[in-house]
Amino acid sequence: MRLLSAILLTAMALSATAQGVDRARVLPRSEVDVSSAPAELRKLVRSGYLADLRWPDFADYRQSLESLYEASGYSPVWFANGRLSVQARALIAVIESASEKGLNPQDYDASKLSEWADQLGSVTSAGGTARLDVGLSVAAMRYISALHSGRINPQRALFALARRDERLALSAFLRDHILLSQNVRQEIEGIEPPFPGYRRTEAVLVKYLAIEKNDVSKLPSRPRGNLKEGQAYGDLPALAARLALLGDLASPEEVQGKIYRGPIVEAMKRFQNRHGLAVSGTLDAATYRALATPLSKRVLQLQLTLERWRWLPTDVLPAVVVNIPEFELRAFDENHRVALKMPVIVGKAYRHRTPVFEDRLESIIIRPYWNVPVSIQKAEIVRDLRRDPTYLQKHRFQLVDRGNKPQATPPREELVARLASGALRVRQMPGPENSLGLLKFNFPNEYNVYLHGTPQQNLFSQARRDFSHGCIRIEDPVSLAAWVLEGEGSWNRERIVDAMNAEQTLTIPVHRPITVLILYGSAVVEETGEVHFFDDVYGYDVVLEHQLAHGYPYSR
């Protein structure tokens, strides 16, 4: 059986070589004695430790490695006919280009594996062969797992998301898809997330890696005060070069003289739009900070975004997706296309952060009541009532018990005391001035967070929009409701508006499965390929960066 396996491996390797597998480098093809490797392989795999690796502890992959090597009788799997297989060399080439995927090649021992392969002629002992074979297997499993579902569990990064499909059956995937593959790179890329946004982010990352590597431009000096259109600025050529480098200005040659006007002002507006800033064309302090942000930081933002893409389940469409740092909502159809996009308001960065989680949309409530959370009631309603005895009447609040049954108003001191203790509750009556607006999108969850309208439409003009207590206010709830209710009987836009202008509170069940994803990504690549960067408003990028810096095994 082993002889047949060796013949098959050799035949596939020769075929793959003829087709130029994966741009793999031509490495030495010295024959290696693998006949005495099984005992060494068994010992290494069971130890869960290989000192030659950057992260030598591979105990979290030991079970998968045992399954892989038991199937081969503990014979080396990366050798064919006494030579390092073409698949092994292709795997090394793939790992060497890991930075294109937002990963660090040295986390997968790219240099070490390449060095071993280059020195193959001197690796003739059973121990040397076993270390190389196990090193390749560990690197492959780590790399494939990272690409498929990310390096860490999202719940460790403060995200209430179920890790994407958990892990692949790694030993079976290597046996069935890699060890005899004619195109190792294509097989590995096939297990990455299927989302177009993920692929676009990868493409932009490659572009930014090249920009960072080749950038020799000088950062323009900071202007005194705000630089407005029509004003003189001595460092205009450096500013033009910077905007051209980042793709917002077609060419520095478009800018002549020292007056800030024309094409460079329009380029500045494009830059501001891509960085979540007020689009004024004025080079103010916030815009200069974004201009001066090192390209390495932008690369990191793209890398962290790719990591988070890998956490997502693949069967989420259609979906309503809110990206917190972007303050934006998108509705995606079954074909990954953006059907709808609008600004949102999310929870305040201090104490009222909107949680990151996934759920399913269950219903839309027209003319909802607002059942004030106890925490808001105690901290804010009681305070405002003490200042103004008519506060409840002014804002159409109704007293209810814990079962939402209306209650009579007691004397003021008793009222304040019972509200402060939670014995009485308040809810706001439906209507245009209700804090939820006239539409609420319900997906029951442990956080009591939902999407809703708002009477405070003026807040959507702000560039940074973290103003809520945790729920998500949306600018155009009618358009979202119309999209959600497509095909739901006669619920079209006109009927929705009519119901909003009536008196009755209605609950409309949502029958088609629509996922609600509340996510966090400080880099977004639009369908046009244009990349947008945003501030790390909740500090989650810093958290994830620190967790990833610890290296393998992340499970600890």
Side-chain angles (χ1 to χ4, degrees):
M1 199 64 185
R2 289 185 196 166
L3 177 59
L4 177 59
S5 178
I7 292 171
L8 285 171
L9 282 167
T10 304
M12 295 298 287
L14 290 172
S15 173
T17 302
Q19 297 181 47
V21 176
D22 288 356
R23 313 193 303 267
R25 295 183 296 109
V26 177
L27 299 174
R29 299 182 59 82
S30 305
E31 292 189 7
V32 177
D33 180 12
V34 298
S35 61
S36 56
E40 293 293 334
L41 278 167
R42 189 183 302 271
K43 178 181 176 182
L44 263 180
V45 169
R46 289 184 175 177
S47 74
Y49 192 89
L50 180 55
D52 301 273
L53 302 180
R54 180 183 184 186
W55 312 112
D57 184 346
F58 60 83
D60 50 339
Y61 289 95
R62 183 167 52 201
Q63 186 174 350
S64 296
L65 287 162
E66 287 175 348
S67 175
L68 176 68
Y69 283 106
E70 282 171 2
S72 73
Y74 278 90
S75 294
V77 296
W78 297 102
F79 288 82
N81 199 27
R83 295 175 177 175
L84 193 66
S85 70
V86 69
Q87 288 78 18
R89 292 185 279 118
L91 173 67
I92 294 171
V94 168
I95 291 175
E96 286 178 325
S97 62
S99 59
E100 297 176 3
K101 304 292 184 180
L103 304 172
N104 181 356
Q106 302 318 315
D107 282 350
Y108 313 98
D109 295 280
S111 297
K112 182 65 178 179
L113 294 174
S114 182
E115 177 187 339
W116 274 346
D118 285 337
Q119 297 174 354
L120 193 57
S122 62
V123 184
T124 55
S125 68
T129 301
R131 288 197 303 275
L132 174 54
D133 209 81
V134 171
L136 281 163
S137 296
V138 171
M141 288 185 177
R142 285 175 169 172
Y143 183 73
I144 290 166
S145 178
L147 277 184
H148 177 259
S149 52
R151 287 161 283 180
I152 67 171
N153 188 318
Q155 295 181 17
R156 291 189 61 227
L158 310 178
F159 290 9
L161 300 172
R163 192 175 187 186
R164 178 189 168 218
D165 303 334
E166 288 303 320
R167 286 186 174 174
L168 284 170
L170 291 168
S171 58
F173 181 77
L174 287 179
R175 285 196 307 270
D176 299 340
H177 296 274
I178 301 300
L179 294 176
L180 296 177
S181 173
Q182 296 188 51
N183 195 324
V184 170
R185 186 179 298 273
Q186 181 175 306
E187 291 286 353
I188 292 177
E189 288 181 346
I191 55 87
E192 293 184 77
F195 308 109
Y198 173 84
R199 296 294 183 186
R200 293 196 298 267
T201 306
E202 279 189 329
V204 168
L205 173 61
V206 172
K207 175 183 174 182
Y208 266 74
L209 285 169
I211 293 174
E212 180 191 18
K213 180 179 179 180
N214 300 316
D215 178 30
V216 294
S217 63
K218 170 181 168 289
L219 186 68
S221 60
R222 183 169 180 171
R224 294 181 179 179
N226 294 337
L227 177 63
K228 298 181 179 180
E229 185 171 7
Q231 293 181 334
Y233 175 49
D235 227 2
L236 204 63
L239 178 60
R242 185 75 173 178
L243 290 170
L245 176 75
L246 299 175
D248 298 296
L249 182 66
S251 170
E253 282 69 35
E254 288 189 63
V255 179
Q256 302 294 326
K258 301 292 183 180
I259 303 300
Y260 180 64
R261 63 187 174 192
I264 196 168
V265 175
E266 296 307 309
M268 184 63 74
K269 290 179 180 178
R270 283 191 289 273
F271 175 86
Q272 290 171 327
N273 181 59
R274 288 196 308 107
H275 292 79
L277 301 165
V279 182
S280 62
T282 297
L283 179 51
D284 53 23
T287 303
Y288 188 83
R289 281 196 300 272
L291 272 172
T293 297
L295 290 171
S296 59
K297 170 70 179 299
R298 301 308 186 197
V299 166
L300 176 63
Q301 288 179 267
L302 292 163
Q303 291 169 337
L304 298 181
T305 296
L306 287 172
E307 173 73 10
R308 293 178 178 127
W309 269 112
R310 296 174 186 129
W311 297 344
L312 299 183
T314 57
D315 57 345
V316 295
L317 299 178
V320 174
V321 180
V322 173
N323 184 24
I324 293 171
E326 187 182 8
F327 311 111
E328 201 79 18
L329 176 150
R330 291 175 179 82
F332 289 88
D333 65 18
E334 294 84 347
N335 299 308
H336 298 271
R337 291 190 296 262
V338 177
L340 200 62
K341 180 179 176 182
M342 67 182 69
V344 299
I345 293 166
V346 301
K348 300 172 186 176
Y350 179 66
R351 297 186 65 180
H352 295 293
R353 295 178 179 179
T354 297
V356 177
F357 69 105
E358 60 180 297
D359 216 303
R360 178 171 169 174
L361 187 60
E362 290 191 1
S363 62
I364 297 176
I365 302 174
I366 298 179
R367 298 184 66 86
Y369 287 87
W370 179 37
N371 297 303
V372 180
V374 175
S375 59
I376 298 177
Q377 175 177 306
K378 292 180 178 181
E380 300 179 27
I381 300 292
V382 169
R383 176 201 63 200
D384 293 335
L385 183 59
R386 283 175 174 151
R387 293 172 178 170
D388 180 1
T390 65
Y391 179 82
L392 297 182
Q393 292 87 345
K394 283 181 180 178
H395 297 278
R396 304 189 73 230
F397 282 109
Q398 180 185 45
L399 293 173
V400 295
D401 62 16
R402 292 176 181 175
N404 276 337
K405 182 179 179 180
Q407 301 291 301
T409 303
R412 183 166 179 267
E413 290 304 318
E414 180 185 347
L415 169 62
V416 170
R418 293 178 68 184
L419 289 175
S421 69
L424 270 181
R425 304 290 301 276
V426 293
R427 67 176 181 179
Q428 194 173 28
M429 301 293 285
E433 300 306 313
N434 185 285
S435 294
L436 307 186
L438 293 170
L439 287 172
K440 173 184 173 182
F441 298 79
N442 206 28
F443 39 100
N445 57 82
E446 62 182 289
Y447 311 102
N448 198 27
V449 163
Y450 38 84
L451 304 169
H452 62 84
T454 177
Q456 295 178 299
Q457 289 289 308
N458 60 303
L459 294 179
F460 291 107
S461 63
Q462 302 294 316
R464 175 165 174 160
R465 296 187 294 274
D466 56 326
F467 303 125
S468 83
H469 287 85
C471 286
I472 300 159
R473 308 175 198 172
I474 58 178
E475 184 185 49
D476 187 1
V478 175
S479 292
L480 181 60
W483 179 80
V484 167
L485 295 175
E486 282 180 3
E488 299 271 357
S490 59
W491 280 107
N492 56 24
R493 187 181 184 92
E494 289 71 27
R495 187 182 175 193
I496 293 168
V497 172
D498 287 343
M500 290 166 60
N501 292 328
E503 297 296 325
Q504 186 179 2
T505 295
L506 295 175
T507 298
I508 308 169
V510 176
H511 295 109
R512 68 167 174 156
I514 297 178
T515 306
V516 177
L517 285 167
I518 314 299
L519 301 179
Y520 192 96
S522 62
V524 172
V525 183
E526 300 280 9
E527 291 176 301
T528 60
E530 184 176 80
V531 60
H532 291 234
F533 295 104
F534 307 99
D535 289 341
D536 183 18
V537 291
Y538 289 175
Y540 291 164
D541 277 1
V542 175
V543 171
L544 182 55
E545 180 187 3
H546 287 174
Q547 289 175 330
L548 292 173
H550 289 301
Y552 287 89
Y554 294 107
S555 59
R556 295 187 178 180

